[in-house]
Amino acid sequence: MIRTSELKSFAREATAIVARDKDVAQFEIYCASGDNSIARLNYTSDIPCRGVEELKSHSADGFQIRIVTKRNAHEVGTACEAGDFSAEAIRTVLARAYRSTIVDPHFSGFPTEPRKLAVTKLEKSDLARASDVSLVDAAWSILRGAIGAFARSEVAARPHPALVVGGDVSVFRDRIAIANSNFADIRTDESAHFSSSVTALIESLDAKGTASAVGRTVADMRRVAARLGREAAGRALRMHHGVRPEAKTYRVVLGPQPVAEIINYMILGSLTTGAFHAASSAYHGKFGAEVMDRRLSLWDNPVLRTGAVIRAITCEGIPAKRIDLIRDGKLVGLMSNFYDSHRLATDEERAEKLGMPAEKVPMFPALSGYRLGEGGGRRFDQSPGSSGTNIVMKARGGIDDDAVIRKLRDGLYLGRVWYTYPINGQRAGDFTCTVSGDSYVIRNGRLAEPIAPNALRINSNIENVFRGMIAAGKRSHSAIVWGSSESFHVPAIACEGITVAVVGKGEDKPPG
Amino acid sequence: MSRFVHAHRGVAYADVRFEVMFHRSGAATNGEPRDSTETESAGFCVSVHAGAGNSIGHGQVGMEIGRLGLNEKKIVAEIRRGLEEAYNRARISAREKAAFLKRFGARAGSLIGGAFEPRAPIRDEVAAVYRQDPRTLDPEDLKRITLEASREVKGLGRDIAFNAVAATCELRHELFVSSEGSLISQAFAFSQGDVYVVAQSGEGHQESYDTIGQQRGFESIAEGWREELLANPSLSAFAVGLAKEAQELAAAPVLKPPGREVTVVTDPHFNALVAHEIVGHPCEADRALKMEAAYAGRSWLLRAIDDNEIGKAVGSPLLSAVSDPTLYGYGHYRYDHEGTPGKRVAHIDRGIFRGFMNSRATAAALGVVPNGSARAAEVYQVPLIRMSNTFFLPGETPPEKIIGEVEHGYYVCGHQIPSIAESRENFRISARRVYEIDHGRIGQLYRSGSVIADSKRFFMSVDAVGNDLSLVAIPNCGKGQPMQVKRMSNGGPTLRSRAYLGGG
């Protein structure tokens, strides 16, 4: 990886070169260095395997130049380059940016505020320097935990127990430097975190257990590696020979992972200025209105001290700070980047799209303008999109997780879902997903029989989950969603009227 | 490569993939320009298998190096550095594995997999197919084409709330070098058009998106392509067609599901997603061998090595499905990213399940010959087992006859969103359009409909297969950790079967 100081120095050099170009009115230089290392678990007791797949990594260093020409304040060009941080590369990219110019009448320039950034001291993660040995060791440690826990069970003695342990330990590191012609300084940021997700399947028992963690230090990674495999295998052992509840509409407790998954796939995309402009938000025409239960609030906090990722600035150079999205059930904020903020503010249809008089439409600050690649690291070649960092949901009057289950009395506890998709488009809010593990029947306010994995499919709508809430936990648990750039801190939620269909074993049936 | 292998103790295998790419794209929204980019990039991936004691470990390093690719000395230096790092990773992993085997003994007996069967080296060179070299495409042409298409869509009326039209043209040149002596050069041209439309009418709204794509020059998108298997109109006609359909759907009623199993006739575009989710993914050997269990799931076609569907009926005798990289679909290639020649893989032959797409390691685990299906989405990523052109084979019945024979049922057209169970043993796939069929005639149009079925039951119930095979370009199949997004083709002819329907 390239050091932050080197990125900054390059951004300064590029600034000097681009500023000298007589046809450039405004410009932005964005440099990023990213690295993602992954040790992937692949243990199958009954099939030849490698245990831990190759330790793999992907590094990408590069820069992007955006220019606005003097000819036209809306004529903008973008180009980027990987690997080469030389003066010649700057000139090549500048020429390419000229070739790529378009006249976009809605392009309003680059951020101007603050002109000089107050220095923020954020704690640096030692994962930035973590060695390959620590990552490989963490992966094998997870396997040792899982197989050790499994070996102590009676199932292990059977001829074909069919234990499967999958998942990964991943370390994400990124560094950026950004300059633009409106800023008086060159801004930098860096972050590093790990995530680990472990799935243990005992196929002879039709059982599945999972465990996951995120963190910011090597010590955390070592600590969670020692327990995650054991936890996942232990959960799978407790889930054996689950029942297959009938298809109908249930009262349901959604555990933190399903809540995070539904927020990720069904809610966040609707809470952006881009979605409102495209008339594709599930909250179309409902800005300022109550869209969730009054006890629920949702926000993104990139500077959350306990968050897996801490970001000091966005990828547009704007100081990162908390943005409230839902407050006491009302839709009060949207994630946005600089372009989309301006685009929605000047959208002639904004009153209809937001559901409020045009003169009352607020200016949405560009607090979520990140340039992220697959998996969430900052990349030099991405355009600014609107993404969260640490998504937090809290419930006013939240109760202990056990009390949530007691309050439901009879129904289902769904601890893990898979493949959540907006089945009829984002705006409709309809979704479907499969209940894939860690789930139980709730009887008389207690967890009763485990539910077989992949036996139920939820067919519902976001309204049923977030407006039909009975109770929520007071504790927000961290949760990971596969492929998501955000990390989640969410409670368990009990809700009315969640329709489930029975799937698998050739008995696929929608409810009644 | 040969110097590296000789200089490092315990190297069992190593390979290097190197790629240079030229990429140009443009986009317009609501009839106005939105984006234009030109990128040249280069990257590589090295993979090393090395032993320590009695165990083999694996290491990989992927890097994007951009313009350094223009400097031979720097490329060699970076690749050499990557090989050293991958070798060290392989050795660390091998040591950890040896310690693990010592601790768990016979209980870790399955930890023996992953060794490659040795094979003869291959040397070949494959050229890209295009009329106009993507590097010579005038950026103004690409901007103009997307802008005109977006303007035409906007001009359809105020009920088009939003539209976005994007176009991409790429030239990729890959080099594969292995410690076994293989040296394979392959070039690919990719051209793609993407359209997204939101239409609204009264209380109804419809979001539709679709893609056209060819492994050819941009002329195939700008002017359209008429080849029978993977045909497409021009980008502008495609965008307008999708938008008109969205307008019609926004005004159509939401499907009220009948609540019982019904006859469904599914069109080739809908069947592309069935082939993708229910045949293609479960036929990936890494998934079948539980290597994807924590992410994308397992396969309904293999429960255990000795308990699987190979040789058994999984569909009606009318149903056959294959993956065929040799065809010029969007998933065409000559060699995979392990240097294995790609070939047609029969998955379902007249209802009988025949086998999986595989890599060298999974082929060894299954005791079969590698069939060249291991491919990475980007050069710096590790190869996974991926679909190429995966589709249902055609029958002999004209689609009109298949519909005409239905007394009451539904004609399901155009795929939208899949939702599938973990092993893909059942599915709910939403369609863009659902028509009621009444006495052999197509009637009322509905939106927000979906097909819900048990996979095997759906396939076993197929009682008619059309003669109208066509493929669809799939631009964004996600798999792996970190996620790799890959292009491919899926498709099939019109099918008739039985299923439940879901509504909005």
Side-chain angles (χ1 to χ4, degrees):
Chain A
M1 285 186 76
I2 311 259
R3 284 201 297 270
T4 309
S5 57
E6 290 174 292
L7 292 176
K8 188 173 184 175
S9 164
F10 174 77
R12 187 174 294 117
E13 185 187 358
T15 297
I17 291 174
V18 178
R20 280 200 297 272
D21 190 297
K22 59 183 178 18
D23 295 321
V24 171
Q26 285 188 61
F27 63 86
E28 178 192 70
I29 315 287
Y30 173 72
C31 316
S33 175
D35 178 272
N36 176 200
S37 300
I38 297 180
R40 199 167 155 172
L41 313 170
N42 172 34
Y43 175 80
T44 41
S45 64
D46 293 38
I47 296 172
C49 65
R50 292 175 176 174
V52 173
E53 288 292 322
E54 68 278 283
L55 174 58
K56 57 189 177 184
S57 68
H58 163 224
S59 357
D61 310 320
F63 69 97
Q64 182 182 102
I65 295 178
R66 287 203 288 172
I67 55 165
V68 180
T69 68
K70 282 185 177 161
R71 258 197 315 263
N72 185 331
H74 301 295
E75 187 175 35
V76 58
T78 306
C80 58
E81 184 59 72
D84 188 355
F85 290 86
S86 66
E88 190 196 343
I90 296 166
R91 282 185 273 273
T92 303
V93 171
L94 184 57
R96 211 182 283 154
Y98 271 114
R99 283 201 297 277
S100 297
T101 52
I102 52 164
V103 178
D104 178 351
H106 304 289
F107 182 80
S108 61
F110 302 116
T112 55
E113 296 294 337
R115 189 159 159 70
K116 195 165 174 60
L117 192 69
V119 177
T120 319
K121 282 271 180 206
L122 291 176
E123 186 192 340
K124 284 186 182 173
S125 164
D126 61 353
L127 281 166
R129 296 178 304 280
S131 67
D132 288 350
V133 174
S134 59
L135 194 53
V136 174
D137 183 55
W140 283 101
S141 171
I142 290 170
L143 268 194
R144 281 194 295 273
I147 293 168
F150 180 71
R152 288 190 289 277
S153 73
E154 54 161 322
V155 193
R158 295 182 187 175
H160 295 291
L163 171 69
V164 178
V165 183
D168 67 279
V169 190
S170 302
V171 174
F172 303 87
R173 296 172 267 230
D174 59 35
R175 295 166 183 157
I176 63 163
I178 183 163
N180 88 30
S181 47
N182 302 322
F183 292 161
D185 53 358
I186 291 165
R187 295 161 189 196
T188 61
D189 196 7
E190 63 177 274
S191 71
H193 74 283
F194 75 88
S195 72
S196 180
S197 168
V198 183
T199 297
L201 288 152
I202 305 166
E203 294 187 304
S204 59
L205 300 180
D206 192 16
K208 178 174 178 177
T210 63
S212 63
V214 291
R216 283 194 289 133
T217 66
V218 174
D220 278 349
M221 185 167 77
R222 204 173 289 134
R223 199 162 36 244
V224 302
R227 67 172 169 79
L228 284 184
R230 199 173 58 235
E231 281 180 11
R235 284 178 187 150
L237 286 164
R238 287 195 292 278
M239 297 293 298
H240 66 93
H241 295 310
V243 297
R244 309 173 78 82
E246 63 175 321
K248 66 175 191 180
T249 300
Y250 287 92
R251 302 177 96 202
V252 159
V253 175
L254 294 167
Q257 189 276 341
V259 170
E261 178 127 344
I262 294 165
I263 291 173
N264 181 66
Y265 289 108
M266 298 302 304
I267 304 293
L268 290 187
S270 283
L271 296 178
T272 64
T273 46
F276 274 85
H277 170 61
S280 64
S281 172
Y283 301 122
H284 182 84
K286 293 180 183 168
F287 191 80
E290 195 174 294
V291 296
M292 288 187 180
D293 185 283
R294 281 182 196 176
R295 289 166 289 179
L296 288 174
S297 295
L298 181 74
W299 62 86
D300 176 42
N301 190 356
V303 291
L304 182 71
R305 290 282 163 191
T306 54
V309 187
I310 293 190
R311 289 177 176 141
I313 55 171
T314 70
C315 299
E316 296 181 303
I318 295 172
K321 62 178 180 183
R322 168 173 162 160
I323 175 163
D324 287 314
L325 302 167
I326 311 280
R327 190 188 302 131
D328 299 330
K330 283 188 179 168
L331 176 52
V332 296
L334 299 176
M335 296 190 290
S336 191
N337 57 69
F338 194 74
Y339 179 91
D340 284 348
S341 287
H342 176 78
R343 185 69 196 89
L344 185 59
T346 56
D347 186 336
E348 290 174 2
E349 315 280 337
R350 64 189 181 283
E352 186 261 324
K353 289 174 178 174
L354 288 154
M356 63 198 322
E359 64 277 11
K360 289 196 173 170
V361 170
M363 186 67 197
F364 296 99
L367 295 174
S368 312
Y370 293 105
R371 295 159 141 136
L372 306 178
E374 295 289 343
R378 299 181 185 212
R379 276 191 63 91
F380 65 92
D381 58 354
Q382 296 291 304
S383 298
S386 297
S387 313
T389 303
N390 298 300
I391 300 292
V392 183
M393 177 173 262
K394 289 273 188 193
R396 187 161 34 82
I399 54 181
D400 287 337
D401 288 353
D402 287 346
V404 175
I405 292 166
R406 281 198 299 277
K407 189 143 189 170
L408 194 87
R409 193 157 178 81
D410 292 307
L412 306 177
Y413 176 86
L414 306 180
R416 192 165 196 87
V417 299
W418 185 81
Y419 229 92
T420 304
Y421 268 142
I423 196 82
N424 292 318
Q426 181 173 262
R427 186 163 151 182
D430 298 332
F431 72 93
T432 167
C433 54
T434 307
V435 177
S436 58
D438 298 333
S439 300
Y440 293 84
V441 171
I442 299 174
R443 192 173 299 112
N444 296 321
R446 301 176 67 131
L447 295 183
E449 312 88 88
I451 295 172
N454 314 312
L456 300 175
R457 177 183 289 124
I458 299 176
N459 292 309
S460 197
N461 186 282
I462 53 174
E463 292 272 305
N464 299 331
V465 175
F466 297 107
R467 285 177 75 91
M469 188 177 99
I470 300 166
K474 66 181 173 191
R475 188 175 156 213
S476 289
H477 303 262
S478 69
I480 298 172
V481 177
W482 178 41
S484 169
S485 58
E486 287 91 0
S487 107
F488 293 85
H489 308 266
V490 296
I493 291 180
C495 39
E496 290 280 3
I498 301 294
T499 303
V500 300
V502 174
V503 296
K505 307 279 187 195
E507 54 186 335
D508 196 37
K509 264 188 206 145
Chain B
M1 174 61 77
S2 57
R3 273 205 298 272
F4 165 76
V5 173
H6 286 120
H8 292 78
R9 195 157 50 92
V11 173
Y13 172 84
D15 66 42
V16 176
R17 288 183 291 118
F18 178 76
E19 182 191 74
V20 291
M21 179 179 75
F22 175 86
H23 169 106
R24 186 182 294 293
S25 64
T29 57
N30 292 341
E32 287 163 346
R34 179 65 185 93
D35 194 22
S36 169
T37 56
E38 177 191 309
T39 312
E40 290 173 354
S41 65
F44 70 84
C45 178
V46 298
S47 182
V48 176
H49 304 187
N54 60 351
S55 75
I56 295 274
H58 306 83
Q60 176 269 355
V61 170
M63 280 184 74
E64 292 173 65
I65 59 169
R67 284 169 51 84
L68 294 183
L70 296 171
N71 183 320
E72 190 184 322
K73 274 188 183 165
K74 283 187 176 166
I75 297 173
V76 173
E78 287 296 325
I79 290 176
R80 193 173 282 159
R81 193 162 66 86
L83 281 166
E84 288 293 338
E85 205 173 332
Y87 173 72
N88 288 334
R89 289 174 174 183
R91 298 276 293 182
I92 294 164
S93 208
R95 277 199 299 272
E96 288 274 0
K97 188 189 282 189
F100 191 90
L101 285 166
K102 193 173 171 189
R103 175 170 169 178
F104 287 99
R107 281 173 295 169
S110 61
L111 281 183
I112 51 169
F116 284 3
E117 289 289 324
R119 70 169 174 213
I122 295 172
R123 298 205 167 210
D124 201 357
E125 205 164 318
V126 184
V129 175
Y130 50 76
R131 192 175 75 207
Q132 184 182 2
D133 186 328
R135 292 167 296 188
T136 65
L137 181 67
D138 185 341
E140 294 307 318
D141 282 349
L142 206 139
K143 293 178 201 172
R144 178 181 48 76
I145 286 163
T146 54
L147 187 58
E148 283 175 3
S150 182
R151 279 183 181 154
E152 276 194 69
V153 171
K154 190 183 181 194
L156 291 175
R158 286 185 57 81
D159 52 349
I160 299 291
F162 182 81
N163 82 78
V165 179
T168 302
C169 189
E170 276 179 16
L171 185 66
R172 290 174 178 246
H173 194 158
E174 305 174 351
L175 199 62
F176 172 86
V177 180
S178 78
S179 56
E180 294 165 327
S182 285
L183 174 56
I184 299 167
S185 158
Q186 291 186 96
F188 302 86
F190 288 98
S191 295
Q192 184 174 310
D194 304 285
V195 180
Y196 173 66
V197 184
V198 180
Q200 52 190 28
S201 166
E203 289 303 299
H205 59 89
Q206 172 70 25
E207 292 171 62
S208 293
Y209 54 86
D210 207 352
T211 293
I212 48 177
Q214 297 283 347
Q215 277 202 29
R216 301 177 189 278
F218 194 68
E219 64 276 359
S220 60
I221 300 298
E223 300 161 17
W225 190 258
R226 276 165 287 281
E227 189 197 74
E228 200 176 309
L229 191 63
L230 181 62
N232 58 259
S234 69
L235 180 58
S236 149
F238 176 68
V240 168
L242 190 74
K244 283 182 173 171
E245 181 195 272
Q247 286 177 303
E248 193 184 1
L249 282 165
V254 170
L255 177 71
K256 299 284 178 227
R260 61 180 194 285
E261 205 173 58
V262 295
T263 298
V264 291
V265 178
T266 50
D267 84 339
H269 194 286
F270 183 86
N271 290 332
L273 198 52
V274 179
H276 183 97
E277 302 290 358
I278 311 305
V279 178
H281 278 311
C283 285
E284 295 159 351
D286 50 359
R287 188 183 299 255
L289 295 174
K290 329 288 181 184
M291 295 166 73
E292 290 285 323
Y295 308 104
R298 293 168 291 168
S299 168
W300 64 286
L301 299 164
L302 188 141
R303 290 166 293 283
I305 293 277
D306 54 0
D307 178 15
N308 57 59
E309 298 293 332
I310 295 172
K312 296 175 188 162
V314 296
S316 93
L318 297 173
L319 196 75
S320 296
V322 299
S323 290
D324 192 345
T326 67
L327 298 175
Y328 250 90
Y330 210 34
H332 164 74
Y333 57 91
R334 185 86 63 85
Y335 297 94
D336 77 356
H337 289 145
E338 294 181 332
T340 308
K343 61 181 182 187
R344 176 178 279 219
V345 182
H347 300 309
I348 302 172
D349 180 13
R350 287 163 288 177
I352 307 297
F353 180 64
R354 292 297 177 202
F356 300 94
M357 290 168 272
N358 63 35
S359 59
R360 293 182 72 179
T362 56
L366 287 165
V368 296
V369 174
N371 54 34
S373 306
R375 290 185 311 139
E378 299 294 342
V379 67
Y380 46 80
Q381 295 170 320
V382 296
L384 305 171
I385 298 171
R386 304 306 297 252
M387 284 172 249
S388 51
N389 305 302
T390 300
F391 58 97
F392 297 108
L393 292 174
E396 293 172 355
T397 314
E400 308 79 43
K401 187 167 186 296
I402 292 175
I403 294 166
E405 290 168 351
V406 177
E407 190 176 327
H408 185 266
Y410 293 85
Y411 183 39
V412 180
C413 304
H415 68 253
Q416 197 150 267
I417 299 277
S419 177
I420 54 260
E422 189 259 7
S423 294
R424 292 159 197 266
E425 67 274 30
N426 58 73
F427 61 89
R428 175 177 176 167
I429 294 178
S430 62
R432 291 219 299 265
R433 290 169 287 139
V434 177
Y435 298 93
E436 195 162 1
I437 305 173
D438 188 17
H439 291 92
R441 293 180 159 219
I442 291 173
Q444 175 69 49
L445 169 68
Y446 298 97
R447 65 184 159 92
S448 300
S450 48
V451 173
I452 301 171
D454 171 82
S455 303
K456 188 170 175 180
R457 187 179 163 100
F458 183 79
F459 286 169
M460 294 297 277
S461 302
V462 168
D463 68 356
V465 177
N467 59 3
D468 53 341
L469 167 66
S470 69
L471 297 186
V472 173
I474 302 287
N476 56 352
C477 172
K479 183 178 176 183
Q481 174 71 350
M483 184 80 81
Q484 295 190 26
V485 179
K486 188 82 183 153
R487 296 162 171 149
M488 56 196 57
S489 283
N490 293 109
T494 295
L495 299 176
R496 189 173 64 207
S497 184
R498 304 273 300 167
Y500 289 92
L501 293 180

